[in-house]
Amino acid sequence: MVTTSNKSERVPSDKVNSRVERSRHTVLTTAFELLSEGGVTSFTVDEVARRSGVAKTTIYRHWPTREALVIDACSQMIAEQETPDTGSLEGDVTAILMEIAHLLPTANWSFVLPSIVDTAERNPEFAEIHSRIQRGHAAPLREVLQRAVGRGELSAHADVSTIVAALLGPLFYRRWFSREPIDDQFVKAIIKRVLTSL
Amino acid sequence: MVTTSNKSERVPSDKVNSRVERSRHTVLTTAFELLSEGGVTSFTVDEVARRSGVAKTTIYRHWPTREALVIDACSQMIAEQETPDTGSLEGDVTAILMEIAHLLPTANWSFVLPSIVDTAERNPEFAEIHSRIQRGHAAPLREVLQRAVGRGELSAHADVSTIVAALLGPLFYRRWFSREPIDDQFVKAIIKRVLTSL
DNA sequence: ATGATACGATACGGTATCGTATCGTTTAAC
DNA sequence: GTTAAACGATACGATACCGTATCGTATCAT
């Protein structure tokens, strides 16, 4: 099947940047944009077609159903963040939480996430996606906490999951539940509260 | 308009327990039940009619539109909790958080809330309702914290909003984001972490 | 008893959306 | 240049839901 050739890579992956791949990319971009605006509920294949300029027929040639497209679009949010390495636990945690605090009111995914959480409440496929997104958010924190354990800066018996909840919980709470602003002072207060109790 | 009479209260409020009020109550109950199952999105007037036995015509005689009914049903969630008074801040906070931890995985409203949060992200009317629900959740905590200030158990400069976020945030985080179980040990760890840092 | 009010059953128009069918046109491989 | 694959435009059937209209029936106050 995979034939070699003098030309540069004539395997199936040569279709990258082909017409097929361009359509696919255009649709996915528009889909995510639409998701950010209206959430999963008001997401419509017709609207994606209208806005992207790609014919609805073509969209259904790539995705068998509306839900498949939504899921693919949501998967774009599964992007693991950079893990800082400042040398100290407090420095690392501060870097991570400041980054998240900065993203929470602005990033597109912060507008889509409630929709995914809601859908995940009753749809296993979305529950799986949400789980992956969630792990992506928590991963850097878990890593710097593990490193702190390695350095002896943190007890090996420390409950990492609880600490993550104590750090991320208040930020998320402010963004989606109390809807209060998340300023540096708040973030620092949370970090101090958690770290001094270790 | 309001005519007095010898009989017991012949003002408009005499219609309580009348046919009108019975229909209204039946519909609202069914509506909330439906909300708990499918969230705001899949909520349908036709389904409320089917399930409740009340004719769709009658429903529209009471509520001008679907959204009005949804909002009325959501408003049932605005129920302020009891505020305990154990004498100590730790006792009060523990009582409140244990109650919430117990309700989070079971209570109907915990299944509807993500839907409301999502809708509130783009709909001011739902934002208002969510705000009221949220205040209802935080009110007991705020009160016991204020009492603690009055007793001198807590500094008058303590930032109550931050403390509330530090207490409720981790619980909500576990329920809707990390989806980990919320056991007594976790709740106590959070409380200890927050209170010892005051 | 009687009249007003509310209810039930049913049907309906209007709209939105999903997913498919058809067919002519463009792109790209060879 | 020829050919196959992918695309665009359009129309369509099917379904679900909203909100209204109609009309006969049940309830309730007086």
Side-chain angles (χ1 to χ4, degrees), chain A residues 35-41 110-118 120-122 127 130-131 134 137-138 142 159 161-170 172-180 185-186 189-190 192-194 196-198, chain B residues 35-41 110-118 120-122 127 130-131 134 137-138 142 159 161-170 172-180 185-186 189-190 192-194 196-198:
Chain A
L35 267 183
S36 311
E37 295 175 13
V40 174
T41 298
S110 82
F111 294 94
V112 191
L113 203 52
S115 199
I116 294 181
V117 168
D118 178 40
E121 197 78 23
R122 297 156 198 106
H130 176 247
S131 172
Q134 192 49 39
H137 284 153
R142 298 189 95 95
D159 186 340
S161 289
T162 301
I163 300 175
V164 170
L167 287 170
L168 287 185
F172 285 22
Y173 178 84
R174 285 231 165 172
R175 169 64 179 84
W176 287 296
F177 292 96
S178 79
R179 296 175 161 270
E180 295 164 284
Q185 193 187 346
F186 174 76
I190 295 297
K192 188 178 177 188
R193 212 175 289 276
V194 173
T196 59
S197 69
L198 296 178
Chain B
L35 267 182
S36 311
E37 294 175 14
V40 174
T41 297
S110 82
F111 295 94
V112 191
L113 204 50
S115 198
I116 294 181
V117 168
D118 177 40
E121 198 79 23
R122 297 156 196 104
H130 174 247
S131 172
Q134 192 49 39
H137 284 154
R142 299 190 96 94
D159 187 339
S161 288
T162 300
I163 300 174
V164 170
L167 288 170
L168 286 185
F172 283 24
Y173 177 86
R174 286 232 163 170
R175 170 63 179 84
W176 288 296
F177 293 96
S178 79
R179 294 173 162 271
E180 295 164 284
Q185 193 187 347
F186 173 77
I190 295 298
K192 187 178 177 188
R193 213 176 288 278
V194 172
T196 60
S197 69
L198 296 177

Side-chain angles (χ1 to χ4, degrees), chain A residues 1-2 9-16:
Chain A
M1 275 298 190
V2 176
E9 283 298 317
R10 282 292 163 211
V11 283
S13 66
D14 69 343
K15 296 227 166 179
V16 174

Side-chain angles (χ1 to χ4, degrees), chain B residues 60-163:
Chain B
Y60 276 104
R61 284 190 189 105
H62 285 310
W63 291 272
T65 172
R66 178 199 104 118
E67 196 178 358
L69 176 55
V70 175
I71 289 180
D72 247 29
C74 286
S75 299
Q76 294 196 328
M77 289 173 40
I78 308 174
E80 187 142 338
Q81 300 189 58
E82 297 278 320
T83 303
D85 192 357
T86 65
S88 77
L89 177 59
E90 184 175 347
D92 289 347
V93 168
T94 302
I96 294 173
L97 260 63
M98 284 298 182
E99 169 80 3
I100 293 181
H102 178 252
L103 289 176
L104 270 179
T106 59
N108 278 336
W109 58 261
S110 82
F111 295 94
V112 191
L113 204 50
S115 198
I116 294 181
V117 168
D118 177 40
T119 311
E121 198 79 23
R122 297 156 196 104
N123 183 322
E125 287 201 86
F126 280 84
E128 171 60 28
I129 286 203
H130 174 247
S131 172
R132 300 236 292 281
I133 296 173
Q134 192 49 39
R135 284 200 297 272
H137 284 154
L141 268 184
R142 299 190 96 94
E143 183 168 336
V144 300
L145 287 167
Q146 289 298 347
R147 280 207 303 249
V149 171
R151 287 193 302 261
E153 203 176 346
L154 189 62
S155 160
H157 301 100
D159 187 339
V160 172
S161 288
T162 300
I163 300 174

Side-chain angles (χ1 to χ4, degrees), chain A residues 21-79:
Chain A
E21 208 52 33
R22 279 202 307 276
S23 296
R24 188 182 150 78
H25 184 260
T26 304
V27 170
L28 269 182
T29 303
T30 308
F32 183 70
E33 181 185 312
L34 215 65
L35 267 183
S36 311
E37 295 175 13
V40 174
T41 298
S42 63
F43 180 91
T44 291
V45 179
D46 292 78
E47 180 60 24
V48 174
R50 269 192 291 274
R51 199 182 286 201
S52 68
V54 177
K56 198 166 68 154
T57 328
T58 302
I59 298 179
Y60 276 104
R61 284 192 189 101
H62 286 308
W63 291 271
T65 173
R66 178 200 103 118
E67 195 177 359
L69 176 54
V70 174
I71 288 179
D72 248 28
C74 287
S75 301
Q76 294 196 328
M77 289 173 38
I78 307 174

